[in-house]
Amino acid sequence: MYSSRVLASCSQCICYCRLVECIRVSLFAPLFPHAMYCKLSIIKLHFFVRSVGQQYNNINSKFFDYTKFFVVESDQRGTGRSQPSVWDDWRNMKYYEDITISLMAADFEVLREELGIDKWLVFGGSWGSTLSMFYGEQYPERSLGLIIRGVFLNTKPEFDDVYTPKRFIENKNEKQIREFEYFFELAEQEAKDSGEAELDRYDSERIVKLYNGMIKRGDKMAIWVWYVFENNLMEEDPNKLLNFDKIDSKSFPEAAGVAFFESQLFLDGLFKHPYRILERVRNLKEDLPAPVHTWVCQGKRDQVCPPQYAQKLVDALQEANIPTYPHFIKAPHQCTDPVMQICLRETVEDFYEKYKNGVLGLTS
């Protein structure tokens, strides 16, 4: 459609191209290809945003050499300029109550086909790691490779590590215990107000379901507390901690997207349509001319996606004989951390060298 126009506009120099049209992926959900950083180059890459509902903020400019990569970003359905956007109005959540990871992966297939890309390198962190792995396992024939950071598998133990105080108590982390109690109190009050049974602070499923209900009816404090709890859990800089009691109007649109899509997709992927990422890693090799090589950058200090789950993924990949390049580094969750940025840049360069030298066994 317009891909030739975009490519032509990028042919003379390295540039940042904003698209002015949306790709319609369903009746209510035009998908906005947010931006392309591009030069006519050999490798196409899709950058999946860190947390579903979050914005890019030009973060990928830290990782890619645009003389080597054609980088595609997109606003996931319901966020940013993909319309109708939850960022614009919380009432737009109603259009996405049937959202699933399968639907999101299919959206990116529409985008790939629309742009005329045969295969691309898939890159994502945090929730983007979940989506990247799922996409790679669903469409391995379209994946040149996978680079993932801050692994989240969407399993019950991960739920319990974040949405109960168990891990915080075991680690004797007073800040995290205190902030969990603030997070829990809102759900506890919701259960009381709804006439439900007393809420167990170790019942992660029910806590998240209560939040999901509050978020979907537009409860601003529930949206904000969900967002702040996650932000403060992964943030090491005291100056960047958010205030539970003070809603920041500039951050709130993103908070609405994060709170709704995370709670919705986390519940769907655990209790309705389990992702089974570890069980499906063999898809990255079976019936393919070459396996999908996978790189992992995992912070040892990651508090929102603890490193033991990245290790489980690495173990599953290696057991399935998928070429895997794990890097467990002294870093937190954020891709803005200097050590994490070095890891990501080095993995991207490692992919490029292996691709260029034919190590990956790919022909395009």
Side-chain angles (χ1 to χ4, degrees):
M1 190 171 107
Y2 48 73
S3 56
S4 59
R5 167 176 59 76
V6 174
L7 288 171
S9 71
C10 294
S11 62
Q12 301 304 315
C13 61
I14 303 171
C15 63
Y16 178 52
C17 305
R18 288 186 178 274
L19 303 185
V20 296
E21 301 178 62
C22 291
I23 296 172
R24 187 168 293 278
V25 294
S26 70
L27 181 60
F28 291 112
L31 185 71
F32 195 93
H34 175 72
M36 295 184 182
Y37 296 78
C38 50
K39 182 175 182 179
L40 292 184
S41 53
I42 62 170
I43 301 174
K44 313 301 188 293
L45 179 148
H46 192 197
F47 179 84
F48 288 162
V49 73
R50 295 163 289 162
S51 179
V52 63
Q54 224 169 19
Q55 55 187 329
Y56 287 92
N57 293 325
N58 194 26
I59 191 63
N60 82 14
S61 64
K62 303 287 186 182
F63 311 133
F64 310 117
D65 179 347
Y66 303 134
T67 65
K68 300 175 181 177
F69 292 91
F70 178 98
V71 183
V72 179
E73 298 175 342
S74 61
D75 287 340
Q76 298 172 34
R77 68 163 59 200
T79 66
R81 286 170 287 176
S82 291
Q83 296 296 312
S85 177
V86 171
W87 289 9
D88 297 336
D89 189 332
W90 70 266
R91 283 175 283 266
N92 288 332
M93 293 176 188
K94 65 186 177 185
Y95 296 117
Y96 306 106
E97 291 192 13
D98 63 346
I99 189 74
T100 65
I101 198 171
S102 296
L103 187 60
M104 296 178 74
D107 285 348
F108 297 124
E109 272 299 277
V110 173
L111 176 61
R112 182 191 60 77
E113 292 174 359
E114 188 68 31
L115 297 176
I117 296 172
D118 181 44
K119 298 179 182 180
W120 51 11
L121 170 64
V122 178
F123 182 108
S126 194
W127 162 259
S129 77
T130 319
L131 185 52
S132 296
M133 284 301 304
F134 188 91
Y135 176 90
E137 292 173 347
Q138 194 80 352
Y139 304 101
E141 71 282 2
R142 299 302 178 188
S143 304
L144 293 174
L146 302 174
I147 296 178
I148 57 177
R149 168 198 61 83
V151 172
F152 179 64
L153 304 173
N154 208 95
T155 61
K156 185 62 165 59
E158 289 166 292
F159 251 49
D160 291 343
D161 274 349
V162 175
Y163 300 116
T164 78
K166 176 177 176 291
R167 180 168 60 99
F168 310 141
I169 292 172
E170 289 174 352
N171 294 339
K172 298 180 180 179
N173 190 312
E174 294 300 325
K175 170 188 169 293
Q176 292 174 350
I177 294 171
R178 183 173 61 253
E179 295 205 336
F180 172 81
E181 287 303 316
Y182 197 112
F183 178 79
F184 174 76
E185 284 173 9
L186 201 60
E188 183 180 42
Q189 189 60 51
E190 173 69 6
K192 290 178 180 178
D193 293 345
S194 302
E196 297 183 14
E198 183 178 353
L199 181 61
D200 182 350
R201 59 184 21 84
Y202 290 91
D203 188 345
S204 59
E205 177 182 356
R206 191 168 166 221
I207 291 170
V208 174
K209 284 182 175 178
L210 284 163
Y211 262 95
N212 181 248
M214 290 187 283
I215 290 163
K216 288 195 292 187
R217 69 167 187 258
D219 187 314
K220 288 187 175 181
M221 186 53 68
I223 289 170
W224 184 245
V225 169
W226 177 283
Y227 182 73
V228 172
F229 177 67
E230 179 180 279
N231 176 84
N232 290 2
L233 184 58
M234 62 186 176
E235 183 56 67
E236 292 188 330
D237 184 349
N239 296 319
K240 294 182 180 179
L241 297 178
L242 298 176
N243 189 331
F244 279 96
D245 296 312
K246 186 177 180 180
I247 297 176
D248 177 12
S249 60
K250 291 183 178 179
S251 300
F252 187 78
E254 179 179 286
V258 169
F260 169 69
F261 283 106
E262 281 192 346
S263 62
Q264 196 76 7
L265 284 160
F266 290 177
L267 289 169
D268 181 81
L270 186 55
F271 302 108
K272 292 183 180 180
H273 306 103
Y275 300 160
R276 297 191 173 93
I277 287 172
L278 297 182
E279 299 171 29
R280 299 170 68 233
V281 294
R282 293 188 181 277
N283 292 2
L284 300 176
K285 182 179 180 181
E286 292 179 350
D287 302 321
L288 297 174
V292 181
H293 292 228
T294 303
W295 287 257
V296 177
C297 282
Q298 176 66 46
K300 293 180 180 179
R301 302 199 307 272
D302 194 327
Q303 295 298 305
V304 74
C305 297
Q308 62 263 35
Y309 302 105
Q311 187 63 58
K312 288 178 182 292
L313 176 61
V314 168
D315 292 345
L317 289 164
Q318 292 178 337
E319 185 177 341
N321 294 317
I322 309 299
T324 308
Y325 312 95
H327 302 275
F328 288 83
I329 58 176
K330 294 180 180 180
H333 181 75
Q334 295 94 321
C335 60
T336 53
D337 177 78
V339 176
M340 182 61 74
Q341 289 187 355
I342 291 170
C343 182
L344 292 170
R345 284 196 297 269
E346 289 179 347
T347 57
V348 169
E349 188 61 27
D350 187 42
F351 165 85
Y352 178 77
E353 291 300 318
K354 285 181 168 59
Y355 180 94
K356 184 177 66 173
N357 294 321
V359 176
L360 305 184
L362 300 167
T363 58
S364 62

